Amino acid sequence: MGIFDKLASFLGLKKKEANLLVVGLDNSGKTTIINHLKPAESKRHEIVPTVGFSVESFSTKALKFQVFDMSGQGRYRTLWEHYYKDCHGIIFVIDSSDKMRMVVAKDELDQILQHKDIAGRKVPILFFANKMDMRDAATSVKVSTLMVLDDIRDKPWHICASNALTGEGLAEGVDWLTDQVKDVIQAR
Ligand code: G3D
């Protein structure tokens, strides 16, 4: 299944499942990124577009993904928040070229971090500073500063510059997340 192979086989051995959330503003690149993460089989058969609030959800072997657009859908918030409790890892996608909306992304991140089902838990968060190929894209260091990531002290986090069109940067991020999620699952 590609770049999540390592995690899926680990979970298979342990007979466990991991739930991963993929979130970010609309147009940040979530759909393009998950197209790289999806196994070929799920690309063909298992894609289940979900009603209204979620871009889509899909599962493969021991991994379940839920993908949410966090912008302009405030009224669906309570629906997606329902998934926080059981999630083992979060992938937060940021459009590095959209500095205007970085403050909105930061706002959404704060809402996640302060949520009762996330605050106080060591849920690993992988940030993709996506669209790094764009001429006006901020560097991952700059994105990290704009999003004030250094203030996240109670959770493991990591930021990777990515280009979802070519897949560049995705494997590095997923490798990091895999190690973190393994730790979360071991501790269960
Ligand atoms: P979303 O699912 O978060 O809403 P999408 O975002 O994956 O639909 O991506 C939104 C647009 O950004 C798409 O363009 C997509 O091709 C483009 N995109 C995604 N990732 C990258 C990237 O890393 N670099 C560049 N240059 N573009 C990217 P369209 O034109 O289809 O709307």
Side-chain angles (χ1 to χ4, degrees):
M1 61 166 284
I3 54 185
F4 269 108
D5 257 349
K6 219 163 67 178
L7 182 56
S9 57
F10 165 81
L11 292 164
L13 282 175
K14 301 271 166 197
K15 300 212 179 337
K16 301 215 168 161
E17 279 186 350
N19 300 313
L20 301 174
L21 295 184
V22 182
V23 298
L25 301 186
D26 60 287
N27 202 48
S28 54
K30 297 179 298 302
T31 312
T32 316
I33 286 177
I34 60 167
N35 270 321
H36 284 275
L37 307 184
K38 273 181 213 160
E41 193 154 309
S42 128
K43 276 181 197 155
R44 270 182 283 122
H45 303 299
E46 290 178 35
I47 301 165
V48 186
T50 45
V51 276
F53 66 97
S54 169
V55 176
E56 64 177 313
S57 65
F58 64 97
S59 54
T60 158
K61 292 185 189 161
L63 293 170
K64 285 193 176 156
F65 292 82
Q66 294 286 340
V67 187
F68 300 114
D69 257 340
M70 306 201 86
S71 38
Q73 300 192 42
R75 70 203 163 107
Y76 294 120
R77 191 175 295 278
T78 50
L79 291 176
W80 80 59
E81 282 177 348
H82 159 80
Y83 291 93
Y84 287 172
K85 203 156 68 188
D86 298 322
C87 86
H88 301 106
I90 298 175
I91 298 177
F92 195 112
V93 185
I94 301 158
D95 179 347
S96 318
S97 69
D98 190 355
K99 291 179 205 103
M100 294 284 282
R101 287 207 304 165
M102 207 79 76
V103 58
V104 184
K106 159 84 179 115
D107 221 50
E108 293 295 348
L109 172 64
D110 286 346
Q111 300 230 27
I112 297 179
L113 294 173
Q114 286 157 17
H115 191 275
K116 65 175 173 38
D117 291 332
I118 297 288
R121 279 178 62 207
K122 284 199 181 327
V123 182
I125 311 180
L126 168 64
F127 294 91
F128 279 124
N130 194 38
K131 305 199 185 181
M132 68 178 192
D133 55 298
M134 304 273 283
R135 206 158 40 96
D136 54 347
T139 62
S140 57
V141 173
K142 179 80 179 160
V143 171
S144 171
T145 305
L146 290 169
M147 296 288 290
V148 203
L149 300 187
D150 278 339
D151 274 6
I152 307 175
R153 300 216 169 83
D154 65 340
K155 295 179 188 15
W157 63 268
H158 183 69
I159 185 164
C160 278
S162 66
N163 174 352
L165 297 182
T166 60
E168 208 179 338
L170 299 184
E172 182 207 325
V174 167
D175 275 355
W176 176 84
L177 189 64
T178 293
D179 288 341
Q180 299 298 322
V181 170
K182 276 183 180 177
D183 287 349
V184 174
I185 300 272
Q186 296 276 35
R188 269 201 294 189

